[in-house]
C-alpha cells in the first residue's frame, strides 16, 4: 500500500445479528483517505457511518473485506492504530467532575504521554482550542461548543497522525459549529493532520476535501464536493409557483425536465437546457393560470445532489 | 421598533421579556407573523428561542411586554388559546409503547375531539404522514422520519391555526426532512401560521422570513434573500489554489499581522473562503500576497454569502 494513504477499506462488510434477524450495517464499502486530507463520511442516521468508523478503528469485528489505518490492519494491529490515531465517539462525554486541565491530563496519562511532554502539549492545545481561560472550570459546566473543543483537544494530546470524529457537531449551535470547523481547518493547514469526520449535516461536506456519501450501508458516491455536485442531472432551476400541487404535476414529465424536487414553497427542477426550458415551463404553467415568481438558475448544493443520488439508487434497486 | 398590538396578526409580540433572577433570557422582543406564513428562528443554544415559545404557549409568564396568539393573551387566556394552537417539541413527545394509531387517538382525546371527528382525523393524519401500513407498529420501532411525521400529526390532530415547531427535524435524514417541509407548506397554504426554530441553515432558507436570535434579542429579521443583501458585513472571496494548506497559513499570518483586513479566513475543503471589506478591491492584493509567498493561485472568485455567513457576521457584530 502506498504511504500516501491514511485510511483504507476494501469491500468492507459488517453484519449484526439482531432479534429480527441479520442486519447488514455496512455493505461493501471501499474507500481511501489520503494523508493530510479532510474526509467526510456523510449520510443520514442509520446509514452505517458509525459502524464503518468502529470497524476501521478495530472496535468492532468486520464480517468481510479489509480495513486499515496508516497501513496497520484494523483487526490485527489495533495497538499500533491506537497509538497513532485520535477518536471522538458519538455522544462521547468527558468526565464532568474533572476540570478542563484535569481532563487533558487524564487523557494524556491514558495515552502514556510523559510528564514533560504534557507540560509542553497541554497549554498549546488549550490555547489552540481557545480554552486557556477555562482551565479550572469543570468540564460539566462548559457550554456544548466548548465541550466539543475540549474533546478535540483531548483526542490530540498524544499527537496522533489521524483523527476520526463521529458526528462531532451534533446538537451544537451554528456559531459553535463554525468555530469547530475552523479549528479543524487550522489543524489540517498547520499540522498536516488527517481528519476523518462522520456527519449528518450536508453543508459540512463543503468543509471536506473529499466526501463519501453513505446510504443504507453503501457508499453511493465518493469524490470532492465539487465533483459530487456535478453528478446531479443537468442544471437547476428554482421558482415559486402560485399554485404548488398542480404546478408540480404539470412540470413532472415535461420534456427536458430530468428531476423535480420540492423545496418548501418552491420547486427545484433539474433541466437539460436552462434558457430553453425556462420559457417552456413558464409557458406551460401560464397556460393553466399558474404564475412563477423568482425563476432563476441556482447552484446545486450537496443536499440536492444527495437527494438526487439516493433517488436514482432506489429507482435502480426497485428496477424502475 | 414602532409596533402596536392590534390583534390583526395570528402572532403579535411586543417588548416580550423574560428574566430568571439576574439572567435575561428574552430581552424586549417585538415581531408579528402573518397568517399562513412560515417564520423561522435561527440562533445559538441559549438565545431564548424555547423560552419565547413557552411564553407564547402560555406555559411561562412573561416578566414584561405582551403577546397575542390568535388575539388571545397567552398569559391569561392560555386554555382557550391552546385549543387552537399546536406544538411539536424537538423531543417528539410520543409514547413509544403505543402504536402510531394509538398515539394519534391519545392526542385527539386529550384535545377533546369527538369520537366521530377523531376517527376521521386518524385516517387523515395517517395518510398525510404516509403511515399507511404502519398504523399498528409500535412507535418505538418506527424510524426517525416516520416518528417525526407522526409527531407532527399528533400536534395538529385538533386543526390548530397556529403551529409552533421547536427544532422539529433534528437527526432526520434529508429526504424525510424535505417531505416534512412539504407538509409544513401544505398546511401554510391552507392558512396555518407556522413558527419554527432550527439549527439547520438550509432549513432557515426555506422560511419566508427568518429572525436571528441572540442573547434574548432579535438581531435581524427579514426574508433570507434580503438578509444576505443587507446583513453581511464584507464580501466573500473563494480562493482556488493547488496548495490550500499553505495558502491558509499565509493568509492566517496576514490576518494576525493585520497586513490585510481579513474578517475571517477558513478552509472549505480544497478552497479557502476569505471575508474582506470589498471583493473587487481586495482580490488583487490577496493574489499578490499569495504569489509573493510562492503560493500559486488558480482563481479568486467573489461568491454569494450563505445564510450561515450572514448569520455569523451578524452575531459577531453584537
Amino acid at each position: 500500500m502506498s504511504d500516501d494513504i491514511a485510511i483504507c477499506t476494501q469491500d468492507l462488510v459488517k453484519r449484526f445479528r439482531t432479534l429480527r434477524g441479520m442486519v447488514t450495517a455496512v455493505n461493501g464499502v471501499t474507500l481511501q483517505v489520503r494523508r493530510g486530507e479532510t474526509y467526510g463520511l456523510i449520510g443520514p442516521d442509520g446509514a452505517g457511518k458509525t459502524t464503518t468508523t468502529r470497524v476501521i478503528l478495530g472496535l468492532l469485528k468486520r464480517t468481510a473485506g479489509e480495513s486499515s489505518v496508516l497501513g496497520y490492519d484494523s483487526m490485527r494491529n489495533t495497538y499500533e492504530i491506537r497509538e497513532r490515531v485520535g477518536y471522538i465517539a458519538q455522544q462521547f462525554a468527558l468526565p464532568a467532575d474533572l476540570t478542563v486541565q484535569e481532563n487533558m491530563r487524564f487523557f494524556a496519562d491514558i495515552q502514556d504521554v510523559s510528564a514533560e511532554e504534557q507540560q509542553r502539549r497541554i497549554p498549546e492545545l488549550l490555547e489552540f482550542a481557545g480554552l486557556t481561560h477555562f482551565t479550572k472550570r469543570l468540564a460539566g459546566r462548559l457550554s456544548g461548543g466548548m465541550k466539543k473543543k475540549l474533546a478535540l483537544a483531548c483526542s490530540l494530546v498524544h499527537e496522533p497522525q489521524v483523527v476520526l470524529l463521529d458526528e462531532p457537531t451534533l446538537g451544537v449551535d451554528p456559531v459553535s459549529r463554525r468555530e469547530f470547523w475552523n479549528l479543524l481547518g487550522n489543524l489540517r493547514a498547520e499540522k498536516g493532520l488527517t481528519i476523518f469526520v462522520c456527519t449528518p449535516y450536508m453543508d459540512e461536506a463543503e468543509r471536506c476535501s473529499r466526501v463519501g456519501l453513505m446510504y443504507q450501508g453503501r457508499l453511493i458516491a465518493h469524490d470532492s464536493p465539487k465533483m459530487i455536485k456535478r453528478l446531479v442531472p443537468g442544471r437547476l432551476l428554482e421558482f415559486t409557483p402560485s399554485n404548488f400541487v398542480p404546478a408540480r404535476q404539470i412540470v413532472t414529465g415535461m420534456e427536458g425536465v430530468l428531476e423535480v424536487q420540492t423545496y418548501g414553497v418552491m420547486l427545484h427542477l433539474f433541466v437539460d437546457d436552462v434558457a430553453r426550458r425556462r420559457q417552456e415551463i413558464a409557458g406551460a404553467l401560464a397556460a393553466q393560470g399558474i404564475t412563477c415568481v423568482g425563476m432563476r438558475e441556482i447552484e446545486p448544493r450537496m443536499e440536492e445532489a444527495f437527494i438526487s443520488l439516493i433517488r436514482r439508487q432506489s429507482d435502480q434497486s426497485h428496477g424502475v | 421598533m414602532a409596533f402596536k398590538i392590534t390583534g390583526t396578526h395570528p402572532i403579535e409580540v411586543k417588548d416580550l421579556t423574560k428574566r430568571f433572577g439576574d439572567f435575561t433570557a428574552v430581552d424586549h422582543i417585538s415581531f408579528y407573523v402573518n397568517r399562513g406564513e412560515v417564520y423561522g428562528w435561527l440562533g445559538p443554544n441559549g438565545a431564548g428561542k424555547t423560552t419565547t415559545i413557552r411564553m407564547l404557549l402560555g406555559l411561562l409568564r412573561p416578566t414584561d411586554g405582551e403577546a397575542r396568539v390568535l388575539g388571545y393573551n397567552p398569559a391569561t387566556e392560555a386554555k382557550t388559546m391552546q385549543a387552537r394552537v399546536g406544538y411539536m417539541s424537538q423531543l417528539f413527545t410520543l409514547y413509544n409503547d403505543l402504536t402510531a394509531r394509538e398515539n394519534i387517538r391519545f392526542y385527539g382525546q386529550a384535545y377533546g375531539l369527538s369520537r366521530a371527528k377523531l376517527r376521521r382525523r386518524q385516517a387523515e393524519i395517517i395518510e398525510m404522514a404516509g403511515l399507511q401500513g404502519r398504523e399498528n407498529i409500535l412507535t418505538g420501532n418506527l424510524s426517525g422520519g416516520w416518528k417525526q411525521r407522526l409527531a407532527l400529526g399528533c400536534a395538529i390532530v385538533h386543526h390548530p391555526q397556529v403551529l409552533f415547531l421547536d427544532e422539529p427535524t433534528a437527526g432526520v435524514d434529508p429526504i424525510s426532512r424535505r417531505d416534512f417541509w412539504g407538509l409544513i407548506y401544505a398546511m401554510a397554504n391552507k392558512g396555518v401560521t407556522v413558527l419554527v426554530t432550527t439549527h439547520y441553515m438550509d432549513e432557515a432558507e426555506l422560511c419566508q422570513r427568518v429572525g436571528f436570535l441572540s442573547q434574548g434579542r432579535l438581531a435581524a429579521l427579514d426574508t433570507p434573500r434580503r438578509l444576505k443583501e443587507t446583513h453581511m458585513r464584507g464580501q466573500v472571496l473563494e480562493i482556488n489554489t493547488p496548495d490550500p494548506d499553505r495558502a491558509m497559513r499565509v493568509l492566517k499570518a496576514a490576518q494576525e499581522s493585520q497586513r490585510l483586513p481579513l474578517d475571517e479566513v477558513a478552509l472549505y475543503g480544497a478552497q479557502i473562503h476569505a471575508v474582506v471589506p470589498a471583493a473587487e478591491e481586495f482580490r488583487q492584493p490577496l493574489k499578490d500576497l499569495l504569489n509573493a509567498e510562492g503560493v500559486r493561485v488558480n482563481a479568486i472568485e467573489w461568491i454569494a454569502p450563505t445564510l450561515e455567513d450572514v448569520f455569523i457576521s451578524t452575531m459577531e457584530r453584537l
Side-chain angles (χ1 to χ4, degrees):
Chain A
M1 184 197 310
S2 134
D3 286 345
D4 185 36
I5 302 298
I7 299 172
C8 179
T9 74
Q10 183 73 44
D11 303 319
L12 191 68
V13 175
K14 174 66 190 176
R15 290 195 192 95
F16 290 105
R17 192 182 301 279
T18 70
L19 287 173
R20 277 174 288 167
M22 291 301 272
V23 171
T24 307
V26 178
N27 195 358
V29 166
T30 298
L31 62 80
Q32 286 193 338
V33 180
R34 288 192 280 266
R35 276 182 193 256
E37 82 175 349
T38 305
Y39 186 92
L41 195 57
I42 300 196
D45 288 358
K49 307 187 294 290
T50 297
T51 307
T52 304
T53 309
R54 293 198 173 154
V55 172
I56 288 173
L57 284 163
L59 298 170
L60 282 176
K61 273 215 174 86
R62 63 193 171 216
T63 309
E66 294 295 322
S67 54
S68 64
V69 184
L70 300 165
Y72 295 102
D73 184 85
S74 305
M75 302 296 124
R76 290 185 287 273
N77 310 112
T78 39
Y79 186 75
E80 285 83 351
I81 291 176
R82 212 63 92 245
E83 270 186 335
R84 291 166 178 81
V85 171
Y87 172 50
I88 306 184
Q90 205 183 118
Q91 287 160 8
F92 163 74
L94 296 158
D97 52 349
L98 296 184
T99 65
V100 168
Q101 177 81 21
E102 286 164 348
N103 259 289
M104 292 293 290
R105 233 182 274 145
F106 174 72
F107 283 93
D109 287 343
I110 292 179
Q111 294 282 1
D112 271 336
V113 179
S114 71
E116 303 95 89
E117 278 296 298
Q118 290 195 21
Q119 279 192 349
R120 180 179 67 80
R121 286 181 203 170
I122 290 177
E124 194 185 299
L125 282 167
L126 289 176
E127 158 99 54
F128 170 79
L131 291 168
T132 305
H133 300 300
F134 303 96
T135 51
K136 296 204 171 83
R137 187 176 293 192
L138 291 179
R141 312 207 64 173
L142 295 172
S143 73
M146 280 156 85
K147 275 184 196 150
K148 303 284 182 181
K149 287 189 210 162
L150 177 58
L152 181 64
C154 289
S155 77
L156 296 171
V157 74
H158 58 302
E159 300 199 319
Q161 299 165 43
V162 180
V163 286
L164 289 93
L165 313 172
D166 193 357
E167 303 200 358
T169 58
L170 194 73
V172 171
D173 67 63
V175 176
S176 308
R177 207 148 70 88
R178 177 95 152 205
E179 283 173 5
F180 190 87
W181 273 99
N182 286 351
L183 277 185
L184 293 183
N186 297 344
L187 272 176
R188 196 188 101 193
E190 285 165 27
K191 299 190 195 279
L193 188 71
T194 305
I195 302 168
F196 179 93
V197 185
C198 301
T199 176
Y201 292 103
M202 294 292 141
D203 55 347
E204 292 189 347
E206 308 285 351
R207 293 294 206 138
C208 303
S209 357
R210 282 190 312 140
V211 297
L213 293 184
M214 206 165 174
Y215 187 66
Q216 294 180 347
R218 290 174 191 274
L219 209 57
I220 58 171
H222 180 55
D223 215 323
S224 68
K226 203 163 243 179
M227 293 308 289
I228 285 187
K229 284 186 273 183
R230 284 192 197 148
L231 296 174
V232 300
R235 288 159 66 188
L236 183 55
L237 211 52
E238 171 186 278
F239 62 92
T240 309
S242 58
N243 200 346
F244 187 84
V245 176
R248 188 176 56 190
Q249 278 163 0
I250 293 165
V251 296
T252 304
M254 264 182 78
E255 201 191 333
V257 176
L258 309 167
E259 186 174 332
V260 179
Q261 293 186 9
T262 59
Y263 191 66
V265 72
M266 290 182 264
L267 283 173
H268 280 179
L269 306 190
F270 289 96
V271 296
D272 56 356
D273 179 340
V274 168
R276 184 164 158 213
R277 303 304 174 195
R278 190 183 182 126
Q279 305 259 320
E280 293 176 1
I281 290 162
L285 292 173
Q288 303 296 319
I290 299 170
T291 54
C292 304
V293 178
M295 194 184 275
R296 58 179 183 150
E297 185 182 359
I298 59 166
E299 286 292 317
R301 299 163 310 159
M302 191 56 66
E303 188 173 293
E304 276 86 33
F306 190 63
I307 289 173
S308 178
L309 287 164
I310 290 177
R311 279 208 183 145
R312 271 181 275 169
Q313 174 100 356
S314 60
D315 285 353
Q316 275 166 15
S317 59
H318 294 125
V320 177
Chain B
M1 198 193 299
F3 190 85
K4 272 199 186 108
I5 293 271
T6 59
T8 47
H9 302 94
I11 303 177
E12 293 182 349
V13 172
K14 183 175 163 60
D15 292 328
L16 198 67
T17 301
K18 180 69 193 178
R19 280 189 283 272
F20 298 102
D22 293 341
F23 176 66
T24 305
V26 177
D27 193 359
H28 294 89
I29 282 185
S30 300
F31 67 92
Y32 64 85
V33 186
N34 294 308
R35 182 166 184 274
E37 184 176 30
V38 179
Y39 175 92
W41 260 353
L42 201 59
N45 294 329
K49 302 190 295 281
T50 302
T51 304
T52 306
I53 288 185
R54 291 211 175 129
M55 285 193 278
L56 294 179
L57 285 168
L59 302 172
L60 266 181
R61 265 189 115 77
T63 313
D64 201 1
E66 54 181 322
R68 291 284 181 281
V69 176
L70 297 167
Y72 298 103
N73 182 346
T76 56
E77 300 169 287
K79 231 163 166 74
T80 333
M81 181 201 79
Q82 277 166 3
R84 294 164 175 82
V85 168
Y87 171 55
M88 176 177 161
S89 85
Q90 44 194 307
L91 300 171
F92 302 177
T93 37
L94 296 167
Y95 294 90
N96 281 332
D97 51 349
L98 296 184
T99 65
R101 189 194 295 280
E102 286 165 347
N103 262 300
I104 300 170
R105 198 181 304 151
F106 174 84
Y107 276 93
Q109 285 165 352
Y111 279 113
L113 263 57
S114 70
R115 198 176 292 250
K117 184 150 190 212
L118 185 52
R119 204 170 308 124
R120 203 174 59 238
R121 278 306 273 165
Q122 250 179 44
E124 283 169 7
I125 286 169
I126 282 169
E127 200 198 323
M128 174 204 88
L131 282 163
Q132 301 100 318
R134 289 180 173 75
E135 301 94 324
N136 299 319
I137 293 180
L138 285 185
T139 303
N141 292 336
L142 290 173
S143 78
W146 303 114
K147 254 190 211 167
Q148 176 202 38
R149 291 194 291 274
L150 175 61
L152 177 68
C154 291
I156 60 162
V157 70
H158 57 306
H159 276 301
Q161 292 156 264
V162 170
L163 187 56
F164 295 102
L165 305 169
D166 196 4
E167 288 185 34
T169 61
V172 175
D173 75 75
I175 292 194
S176 299
R177 266 170 49 199
R178 285 279 171 106
D179 292 345
F180 183 81
W181 276 88
L183 293 178
I184 301 281
Y185 267 102
M187 283 190 287
N189 284 338
K190 288 182 191 150
V192 177
T193 304
V194 182
L195 193 157
V196 55
T197 73
T198 180
H199 270 176
Y200 291 94
M201 291 293 158
D202 50 356
E203 275 187 3
E205 299 250 15
L206 279 168
C207 299
Q208 287 161 324
R209 282 190 304 154
V210 177
F212 289 169
L213 213 65
S214 171
Q215 295 170 19
R217 287 168 179 271
L218 204 51
L221 169 62
D222 214 325
T223 65
R225 210 187 274 196
R226 285 272 303 158
L227 283 172
K228 288 181 195 170
E229 288 163 10
T230 56
H231 272 74
M232 181 71 192
R233 186 183 60 181
Q235 296 173 329
V236 187
L237 286 173
E238 184 178 83
I239 303 158
N240 274 292
T241 157
D243 192 353
D245 293 352
R246 238 180 89 213
M248 187 68 191
R249 293 194 293 271
V250 170
L251 293 174
K252 275 274 171 197
Q255 184 186 28
E256 267 157 42
S257 67
Q258 299 184 345
R259 187 165 161 192
L260 281 173
L262 296 164
D263 260 353
E264 191 182 6
V265 184
L267 256 180
Y268 279 77
Q271 283 91 36
I272 295 171
H273 287 186
V275 181
V276 294
E280 289 310 331
E281 186 184 336
F282 286 95
R283 187 201 300 261
Q284 197 58 39
L286 220 56
K287 192 169 178 201
D288 293 343
L289 171 73
L290 288 166
N291 286 339
E293 298 286 334
V295 180
R296 223 175 68 215
V297 175
N298 295 336
I300 301 190
E301 274 182 83
W302 177 12
I303 59 167
T306 63
L307 197 59
E308 183 178 296
D309 291 326
V310 180
F311 179 71
I312 300 286
S313 172
T314 309
M315 293 295 122
E316 278 170 354
R317 269 173 292 155
L318 292 175

